[in-house]
Amino acid sequence: MRFEDSTYLTLLLIIPVLFALRFWMLWLRHRALRQWGDKELTLRQMPDVSRHRPMIKFCLLMSAQALFIVMLARPQIGTKVSNEKRHGIEAIICMDISNSMLCEDVQPSRLDKCKMLVENMVDHFVNDKIGLVVFAGDAFTQLPITADYVSAKMFLQSTTPALIEEQGTDIAKAIELAQNSFTKQKNIGRAIIIITDGEDHEGQAVEAAKAAKKAGIKVFILGVGLDKGAPIPDGEGGYMIDNSGNEVITRLNEQMCREIASAGSGTYIHVDNTNEAQEQLNSELAKMQKSEVSSVIYSEYDEQFQVVGLIAILLLVLEILVFEAKPSYQKTMNLFKKKHMAVAVLFLLPVALNAQNDRMLIRQGNRQFHSQQYEKAEATYRKAVAANPKNPEAQYNLGCALMVQQKDSMAVGCFQKAGELQTDKLRRAQAYHNMGVIFQQNKQWSNAVEAYKESLRMNPKDNETRYNLALCLKQKQKDDKNKKNQHQGQGKSKDNKDKKKDDKNKNDENKDKNQDKDKRNQDTPDKMSKENAEQLLNAAMQQEQTTQQRLKKAQSQPRRSRHQKNW
């Protein structure tokens, strides 16, 4: 048992003060009676005065007041307590996003197949941590290592070759970056999962895998594609060509993939159009050492202030029914007889049932929700809301059940009501955080930003909300920039049309001038041909000198294959 707002318990100090005042007043009363005469004779003259009833009434009143103070402190009792030891691994996924991953020899494409594979792998994670590194000619961290699987899937879907301008395939740099991205926790299984077609343009990938092996990290290689290869779409309905004008054919380099996996003490897995790679990867990761991430005592606390308030009301009713003086009908009516007490209990029982009805429904819905019976939980939570529409916990839990079922619009409405009804700042912050997550999943960046800001106003220490807010702001700026570029592009297209018309008019004028010039050349053929020959000779000599200078400069600089291959 615990108290959510234990500061109110300090008000209980009022009770002994009131008792002291009561005893002081009784002492003054007894002193006044002595002034009238003998105490026994005075009491005989007041036969209806009771000695004990006033004290009983006062004790009932003080007890009710104490219970109301306890009710303000919100007593809670844990309805479910369990010890959980979580074990997991850390995995960094290095995804090749070079242009060759757009090849469609694996359906729908190599890159899309990788995304589906990683998403299914994340669905099998429970207590593991995951990070995402993307690479081509360069590498950078797309998602730091985290246990937030929702963010991992979101970052995964936004991965395209356009993220890296420098094309090529530098597997070594990706392994080095991933190796430095793990946490410092000891005795935990670590894996680098490289998804690539094996066209390593830079080399040194085997050496990087060996270095990772020495650090206790296994390197798994998922080779995507087919041996026969296929052309690379250029996004304009055609296929990419090399510097010689030939169509580029990209093939899976299985030999390179096997060497890297062997050097990293991992496994090579071939990814094709089947699901065998997914099953094999899950099996290999399950074999890794899983360290104890945390030991959690899970307790679901339930509000009990309704019961305390009901007892306080009963005490107040009894205090009213107890008279200070002895009534004349005392012999005919005794409130403390069993039959009268039974009538009072039957009168107050419906009040107690109504007070507890919504709480019982919420507990029932929580059990259904934890057992993943989301539709039944939704129905139960709706009954709780109908019983007490002003219960913020019922509104919040209903929103969670709707959110799991992807009923986003109704879930947002429930979270909005829960935030308006809830007085506890942390719980209000959680309601607005969930609203932000729904807006973020639907790419409504402006609404998500406002929801996350409202959540941070209630709970400024929530790092997860702050991270999601920064992400949404970045995506919002990106979308605004894209919209601006589209508007500029439309304006440029109009300018280009006008420019083409002007160029066409100029070309017509040049044709007329050239015709006149040809006529003049025909009149003086020998003289003009000699001058033209000298001009052409000088131009050819200058071009040859320029070409030689460029060739010498290119030979003096180290040549890297990524400039020769843009896939």
Side-chain angles (χ1 to χ4, degrees), residues 396 399-400 403 412 415 429-439 451-452 455:
Y396 177 81
C400 291
M403 182 179 178
V412 169
F415 288 134
Q430 188 62 39
Y432 284 107
H433 174 88
N434 289 356
M435 289 173 58
V437 170
I438 294 175
F439 289 134
Y452 285 137
S455 178

Side-chain angles (χ1 to χ4, degrees), residues 89 198 453 529 535:
I89 64 172
K453 285 182 178 179
S529 61
Q535 292 176 358

